[in-house]
Amino acid sequence: MTTPEAGVLGSSGFGLPTGAAGDSAGSLAHADLVGRLAREIYRQGQAASAPLAPELPAPQGPQGLESLPQAPGQPLLPGTIIGTPLVPSGALPSGLGARNVGGPSIGLPGLTGPSAANPFGATPAPAGAGFLDTATIPSVHPLADSLSARRSLPEFFVPTVPEVAAFLPGGQDLHRTIARDHPRANAFAHAIAPSLVPADPSKRGGDVAQANFQRTGRLPGEPVHSAQPGGNAASASGDYYFLSDSSPTQSRRVSRPHASPRAEPSRHGGPAPRVTAHGSSPVAAPFDVERVRKDFPALHQRVNGHPLVWLDNAATTHKPQSVIDATSEFYARHNSNIHRAAHTLAARSTDLFEGGREKVRRFLNAPSKDDIVFLRGTTEAINLVANAYGRANIGPGDEIIVSQIEHHANIVPWQLLTQATGATLRVIPVDDRGEIIFEQFAALLSGRTKIVSVTHVANALGTINPVREIIALSHAYGVPVLVDAAQSSPHIPLDVQALDADFLVFSGHKVFGPTGIGALYGKKHLLEAMPPWQGGGHMIEDVTFAKTVYKGAPEKFEAGTPDIAGAVGLGAALDYLEGVGLPGIAAYEHDLLDYAQAGLADVKGLRLIGTARQKASVMSFVIDGHENEAVAHHLDARGIAVRSGHHCALPALRRFGVDQSVRASLAFYNTRADVDAFLKALHSLPRR
């Protein structure tokens, strides 16, 4: 006689065939857990996690395992048996969480308990909680068993195009293969980010981004874009996800080359349009690029007999006069060391330094200025986390996840850590657009994962990574996330509380501030648990030859005399950005990028590297028959500054079959006239 429960054990509901692994109690238990996780994430995403609300589907009655993708021909899983919470719907069960086989709770204590700030983490269920025994749940990691080792992701590597092609099947087969090999991870990823991971593998279309760019000068802008017979492959949305209240599928519009910017410079006559930030009323004033340009003295010079056109903003930005004045005034009137004297100049200097810290807190919307550590920049900040957090929490057999499009500063520190500890570096691959493959990221996460470190905006490609979804999925496994915001901080409004980021880092010279200064944000409980990285003055309470007592965060990470003038200048730069308004900056730059890429499409032999659907103002390219350095010299002779080389992102470029590229990057002080001069110079390249 067959009981209803026995009938359920015969099907997985995740596209697994019946029989074999699909029949095991452990498989069913894991499926049940994933269903509950998905349901709780849906509800918590609506209530306590505002940044995720637009992406997560609204609940339609009880949603558990039955709401996740199922294999064709499989019977529906009864929600009364599987996927139905065993606790009242108003509370997140403490037993909800992913874990490895027979292992301890995953991640740090601060990440493994549900709360309004962190609704996704959880600890194993207490005895008698009414849940299935989580110790029987197998890992979803693709390397959990020897049978899957042959299709596992490699340790850190710098791939060539043939290696990538051999490792990952492409085109329409890609998602189908991932769904077959890692069905649970795929279903979980779809629950977290349905716009990034289609539930039905057959809906994944071919990559048409480069063809669209060559034909229209615009890139596809939809979350899931497929070339369909008779469809308009060029149809796209040009909006940033953080500037539109509507979903990407609701903001579809027909692509057109040389679209007029929404935030057109005021010198072009007529009323300048207003731009709208996500969840806010229209910005108070139109964006006036000519007024902005007056604030930057370096822009008003001639180079090689031509007006300077600065298109190397991804490398460093110029400084407004207010930043130059603030730094000069510090040295002229207030110069003193901080915290360690009782005279007037020391008090002034200390107030200015700590005032800069408060401005960083406000810029990131951090809970406290004690969560902000001043460092030399993004590179040192990542090294601090790799050493202070990593050496205390990561050991042999553990894993660190980065993406394939990281800056070297977010690769090498983790490599050094793996060499010192015996851990392994895992790499999220990207597709032909330069977008991370979210399903593969889900497949990489496991109980062995100790930290995920990803860029917000890729410096070589301009890809905007879905960091909110990356953080949400990582936290479901109790894994902390570091966000490299070096390239996003000058372009995109940042809110560490809304993102629920565990660490976030950025550099002052990328946000129109001084060089040699940057900041690390860290959640309070993480900073408190981390040991100091360097020793010296200022970071101690007491020192004897037997023992040293350290101050708390942030001082314990700021040994020695810091860059006081840099912190003052950084504060002035953030004041300037706040005065201009990042939502307006983002909208203006986005439309200027559209205009520039439309022009690049007309340059003979030009291939754009990086065609992500969500992209910041970076354009990397190569031109047939021309060396990259020669192109850069040709532009420089006409006063146009671009970058050529590997951009400290060799793995990202090698994914696209090149070791170098030319990179032009925009800022809010660039104009259409700058872009026109750039395009004219490219068209004047000698033909071969």
Side-chain angles (χ1 to χ4, degrees):
M1 180 175 179
T2 303
T3 64
E5 289 81 358
V8 170
L9 288 173
S11 62
S12 69
F14 281 86
L16 284 174
T18 57
D23 288 338
S24 69
S27 174
L28 177 61
H30 190 100
D32 180 39
L33 179 63
V34 169
R36 293 177 188 171
L37 270 171
R39 185 185 191 282
E40 293 299 330
I41 287 170
Y42 292 161
R43 186 174 71 247
Q44 294 291 336
Q46 295 292 328
S49 183
L52 281 173
E55 275 76 33
L56 295 179
Q60 302 291 333
Q63 290 185 350
L65 187 60
E66 68 276 13
S67 68
L68 296 176
Q70 302 190 68
Q74 296 281 355
L76 290 176
L77 292 167
T80 56
I81 299 175
I82 298 177
T84 302
L86 302 180
V87 295
S89 60
L92 181 67
S94 62
L96 210 53
R99 60 171 293 166
N100 54 334
V101 179
S105 59
I106 297 170
L108 295 178
L111 283 179
T112 55
S115 67
N118 177 33
F120 300 102
T123 52
F131 288 97
L132 294 167
D133 182 8
T134 54
T136 66
I137 298 174
S139 171
V140 300
H141 195 277
L143 305 185
D145 60 89
S146 59
L147 294 178
S148 62
R150 284 172 295 181
R151 58 178 181 263
S152 65
L153 291 173
E155 297 184 9
F156 176 79
F157 64 102
V158 180
T160 64
V161 168
E163 288 171 339
V164 172
F167 171 61
L168 286 176
Q172 296 183 357
D173 294 331
L174 176 59
H175 180 259
R176 191 177 297 111
T177 301
I178 295 168
R180 183 190 67 233
D181 291 348
H182 316 302
R184 296 170 184 150
N186 181 78
F188 198 13
H190 174 72
I192 293 288
S195 66
L196 298 171
V197 184
D200 183 355
S202 66
K203 296 297 175 62
R204 174 76 76 172
D207 179 19
V208 295
Q210 195 65 234
N212 283 347
F213 171 70
Q214 293 297 337
R215 183 172 63 255
T216 69
R218 294 178 63 85
L219 300 176
E222 287 160 43
V224 179
H225 182 81
S226 301
Q228 301 294 345
N232 181 8
S235 178
S237 167
D239 291 335
Y240 276 153
Y241 66 86
F242 51 83
L243 291 175
S244 174
D245 289 319
S246 60
S247 67
T249 55
Q250 293 171 329
S251 60
R252 186 173 302 173
R253 66 172 183 260
V254 177
S255 297
R256 56 193 184 279
H258 302 277
S260 298
R262 276 180 313 204
E264 180 68 64
S266 60
R267 61 189 171 87
H268 286 287
R274 299 170 184 266
V275 293
T276 304
H278 178 68
S280 70
S281 58
V283 176
F287 189 85
D288 188 342
V289 68
E290 290 302 323
R291 182 177 178 180
V292 165
R293 286 178 63 82
K294 292 177 182 178
D295 296 331
F296 291 83
L299 299 178
H300 305 288
Q301 60 178 302
R302 297 181 74 85
V303 174
N304 297 324
H306 298 270
L308 173 64
V309 175
W310 185 258
L311 299 180
D312 197 17
N313 295 287
T316 196
T317 56
H318 288 298
K319 322 305 171 193
Q321 190 64 51
S322 61
V323 171
I324 298 169
D325 292 344
T327 307
S328 297
E329 184 182 18
F330 172 81
Y331 283 123
R333 299 191 63 244
H334 312 300
N335 182 52
S336 171
N337 217 322
I338 57 173
H339 293 305
R340 296 192 290 275
H343 54 74
T344 299
L345 265 63
R348 285 187 201 162
S349 182
T350 300
D351 287 346
L352 288 167
F353 180 79
E354 292 301 330
R357 197 191 307 273
E358 168 59 24
K359 290 173 183 179
V360 174
R361 183 211 66 77
R362 189 175 66 223
F363 180 67
L364 300 178
N365 191 33
S368 166
K369 73 182 184 70
D370 292 339
D371 302 333
I372 306 299
V373 180
F374 278 130
L375 297 150
R376 289 183 299 156
T378 299
T379 298
E380 188 173 47
I382 296 174
N383 274 275
L384 187 156
V385 176
N387 283 271
Y389 172 83
R391 290 178 183 265
N393 294 280
I394 297 174
D398 291 335
E399 296 179 352
I400 302 157
I401 295 178
V402 298
S403 82
Q404 199 174 5
I405 53 176
E406 301 298 329
H407 189 282
H408 294 167
N410 201 27
I411 297 173
V412 179
W414 303 113
Q415 274 187 311
L416 293 172
L417 180 63
T418 62
Q419 293 165 7
T421 63
T424 300
L425 192 65
R426 298 293 181 195
V427 180
I428 312 167
V430 299
D431 61 21
D432 292 338
R433 292 187 179 99
E435 298 172 343
I436 68 164
I437 304 171
F438 202 82
E439 305 95 313
Q440 287 285 15
F441 169 57
L444 281 172
L445 282 165
S446 79
R448 293 189 292 276
T449 308
K450 297 304 178 185
I451 193 168
V452 174
S453 188
V454 292
T455 186
H456 194 178
V457 170
N459 75 303
L461 308 181
T463 302
I464 302 176
N465 276 331
V467 292
R468 292 180 298 190
E469 291 84 355
I470 289 171
I471 291 168
L473 186 56
S474 300
H475 284 183
Y477 282 81
V479 177
V481 179
L482 182 150
V483 177
D484 174 359
Q487 293 296 334
S488 61
S489 50
H491 307 292
I492 298 174
L494 296 172
D495 186 328
V496 294
Q497 295 189 74
L499 290 173
D500 201 18
D502 302 288
F503 301 104
L504 185 141
V505 299
F506 74 99
S507 297
H509 72 105
K510 308 285 190 185
V511 290
F512 315 95
T515 58
I517 188 71
L520 159 70
Y521 159 78
K523 285 183 175 176
K524 181 178 180 180
H525 70 277
L526 294 174
L527 294 180
E528 287 179 346
M530 288 160 54
W533 177 34
Q534 298 173 323
H538 177 60
M539 46 84 73
I540 56 93
E541 289 284 1
D542 186 45
V543 175
T544 68
F545 286 107
K547 182 181 180 181
T548 296
V549 179
Y550 306 112
K551 289 183 178 178
E555 286 86 358
K556 69 175 174 180
F557 301 113
E558 296 177 345
T561 299
D563 185 357
I564 307 168
V568 173
L570 175 58
L574 299 182
D575 282 342
Y576 184 85
L577 281 177
E578 188 177 78
V580 176
L582 269 168
I585 288 171
Y588 174 75
E589 289 179 346
H590 182 48
D591 288 310
L592 196 61
L593 177 67
D594 280 350
Y595 179 77
Q597 290 189 148
L600 287 179
D602 297 331
V603 177
K604 184 178 179 180
L606 186 143
R607 175 192 169 206
L608 193 65
I609 308 295
T611 55
R613 292 162 291 190
Q614 296 290 351
K615 186 177 177 181
S617 48
V618 172
M619 297 165 286
S620 283
F621 59 88
V622 293
I623 302 178
D624 292 343
H626 295 276
E627 295 292 332
N628 297 309
E629 188 174 0
V631 173
H633 282 308
H634 174 82
L635 294 170
D636 181 60
R638 289 151 180 79
I640 303 163
V642 298
R643 179 81 28 173
S644 67
H646 56 62
H647 319 305
C648 297
L650 276 168
L653 291 177
R654 285 175 176 160
R655 165 62 178 83
F656 296 90
V658 297
D659 286 320
Q660 297 184 354
S661 73
V662 181
R663 182 184 68 187
S665 47
L666 303 167
F668 64 99
Y669 46 54
N670 291 122
T671 66
R672 275 193 171 191
D674 290 343
V675 172
D676 290 341
F678 166 59
L679 295 173
K680 181 179 178 181
L682 289 179
H683 282 293
S684 70
L685 280 166
R687 294 302 165 193
R688 298 177 182 177

